[in-house]
Amino acid sequence: MIQIEIIADSPKDLLEQIQEQIGGVVTEQWSEYTLKLNNKFGIGSIKFIPFDWGVNLLEFQIKFDEEIDLKIKSIESFNPIRFIYASKGSFKHRFGIHKEEKKVSQFESFIFTNKDGGTNHVIFPKDEKLDINVIQIVRKHFLKKRTTNVSTLNKKLYEVFVDTDHDNRFANYGTLNLKMADLIKGLHKIKAKGMLRILKIESRVYEILSLHIQQHNRLLNGVKLPEHMSRSELKLIRTLSSDIIKNPAKEYSLEQLSFKSGLTQSKLQEGFKFLYKKTVTEYIRHVRLESAREMLKDSDLNVSQIVYSVGFSSRSYFSKIFKEKYGVTPNSFKKN
């Protein structure tokens, strides 16, 4: 195991202190800092993007060839709340005062912060492809934001956010959350450049943060995974949803999706309702409408061509449900 001790006055220091220990090259473009690694310690990248009001993003898209222990010292000037999600791979965490390590597996989330002077151990495995998303919030800066209203949070998170003197430790281990994986996947697909790119990423970061908070609320309220479905079955549902997004025009049926996944039709419905708050049919229609809206905005195809290219068989039906969903007709949307 390689232990990297980090005493950071800022999140950017974390990137530089990792580089000092395991090498790599740091580049910067439009305040987006990337450490690229391709040596005996691993291959991949660690990215850092700062935003306003004490919010920043760290992303690990990397495979380490050695087990890496980030030993992070919490100090007064930089002791954020961290919201972490593992889209791919896993990691472990422990506070310095504890011996037991707790594992956060793929598609699970974790929220934590420490007391000033305390240490956090974030341990990444060797030979495992990682896609780890970390949102860090410096409380003293974040609470100065005019639109920040932490009084609406549940009691536990409220106490954590207003603890600007860092008097308490906090850790919350989330359950399976596949919707967050879809949001992060969309984050990686942002192709804009310059300031527009940073603004789009920041918007997506706040969406991901809201999901962390929603999940924490559900856990406090005792909302659990569906009793009759396993994690592996829910992951199958996500695979099906990804296939639908990639090819919305294909003809889908409950029977066909059931045969493909090996899940019963009732489990398919239960899984889609749990993950996406929609039945299978509602989800397919939603994906087709979203695809059509993007094509109306970005392509030169006319409305009729788009209708059939996303899998609808009736232009009048498409126009009706499009207006119901977006409040405007397809023709008006395309003109504007």
Side-chain angles (χ1 to χ4, degrees), residues 51-57 59 80-85 109-112 133-139 142-143 145 147-150 152-154 157 160-161 170 172 177 179-184 187 200-218:
F51 307 109
D52 294 331
W53 307 107
V55 179
N56 62 77
L57 173 67
E59 283 198 323
I81 307 174
R82 292 179 170 93
F83 297 80
I84 309 182
Y85 182 80
S109 61
F110 176 47
I111 308 171
F112 79 95
N133 179 283
V134 186
I135 298 171
Q136 302 182 122
I137 297 180
V138 179
R139 284 160 279 189
F142 189 68
L143 291 175
K145 187 178 181 183
T147 55
T148 298
N149 184 8
V150 296
T152 60
L153 297 174
N154 64 63
L157 275 185
V160 175
F161 268 93
F170 174 81
N172 174 258
N177 189 323
K179 189 174 181 181
M180 208 177 295
D182 292 331
L183 272 181
I184 291 170
L187 181 70
K200 285 188 172 185
I201 291 174
E202 183 176 18
S203 173
R204 187 57 63 96
V205 162
Y206 277 101
E207 283 188 76
I208 296 165
L209 178 62
S210 72
L211 275 186
H212 276 285
I213 292 170
Q214 288 170 25
Q215 174 159 288
H216 186 258
N217 285 337
R218 286 198 299 270

Side-chain angles (χ1 to χ4, degrees), residues 95-203:
F95 292 119
I97 62 168
H98 299 152
K99 291 184 178 180
E100 181 187 1
E101 298 172 353
K102 291 195 175 182
K103 184 176 180 179
V104 179
S105 299
Q106 185 183 21
F107 301 133
E108 292 181 344
S109 61
F110 176 47
I111 308 171
F112 79 95
T113 189
N114 208 336
K115 300 171 72 168
D116 277 350
T119 55
N120 306 288
H121 293 262
V122 181
I123 301 134
F124 298 113
K126 64 180 291 189
D127 298 330
E128 190 173 326
K129 287 186 177 180
L130 304 175
D131 188 346
I132 309 291
N133 179 283
V134 186
I135 298 171
Q136 302 182 122
I137 297 180
V138 179
R139 284 160 279 189
K140 285 182 180 177
H141 300 312
F142 189 68
L143 291 175
K144 293 177 182 177
K145 187 178 181 183
R146 183 175 57 84
T147 55
T148 298
N149 184 8
V150 296
S151 64
T152 60
L153 297 174
N154 64 63
K155 186 173 183 291
K156 276 283 185 186
L157 275 185
Y158 172 79
E159 290 172 351
V160 175
F161 268 93
V162 298
D163 180 20
T164 53
D165 292 326
H166 314 146
D167 292 328
N168 301 289
R169 293 184 183 87
F170 174 81
N172 174 258
Y173 295 85
T175 58
L176 190 76
N177 189 323
L178 298 179
K179 189 174 181 181
M180 208 177 295
D182 292 331
L183 272 181
I184 291 170
K185 188 176 180 181
L187 181 70
H188 295 158
K189 289 182 177 179
I190 292 173
K191 300 297 184 184
K193 296 181 180 179
M195 184 178 72
L196 181 59
R197 173 176 168 79
I198 298 301
L199 288 172
K200 285 188 172 185
I201 291 174
E202 183 176 18
S203 173

Side-chain angles (χ1 to χ4, degrees), residues 10-106:
S10 74
K12 186 169 174 285
D13 288 347
L14 185 145
L15 205 64
E16 292 172 346
Q17 290 174 24
I18 292 174
Q19 182 198 25
E20 288 174 7
Q21 295 293 319
I22 61 175
V25 177
V26 176
T27 59
E28 183 268 333
Q29 189 174 26
W30 284 93
S31 296
E32 189 173 340
Y33 299 85
T34 304
L35 169 60
K36 292 185 178 179
L37 192 70
N38 188 359
N39 58 26
K40 65 180 181 179
F41 297 109
I43 182 168
S45 65
I46 305 172
K47 188 172 292 185
F48 158 66
I49 307 175
F51 307 109
D52 294 331
W53 307 107
V55 179
N56 62 77
L57 173 67
L58 268 174
E59 283 198 323
F60 294 80
Q61 291 181 294
I62 196 165
K63 184 178 81 167
F64 290 112
D65 292 333
E66 300 286 343
E67 190 176 35
I68 301 292
D69 176 7
L70 296 185
K71 182 182 178 183
I72 306 169
K73 182 79 175 285
S74 298
I75 59 177
E76 184 179 357
S77 57
F78 186 66
N79 185 7
I81 307 174
R82 292 179 170 93
F83 297 80
I84 309 182
Y85 182 80
S87 292
K88 188 179 293 183
S90 63
F91 65 93
K92 294 178 182 177
H93 171 268
R94 71 176 176 88
F95 292 119
I97 62 168
H98 299 152
K99 291 184 178 180
E100 181 187 1
E101 298 172 353
K102 291 195 175 182
K103 184 176 180 179
V104 179
S105 299
Q106 185 183 21

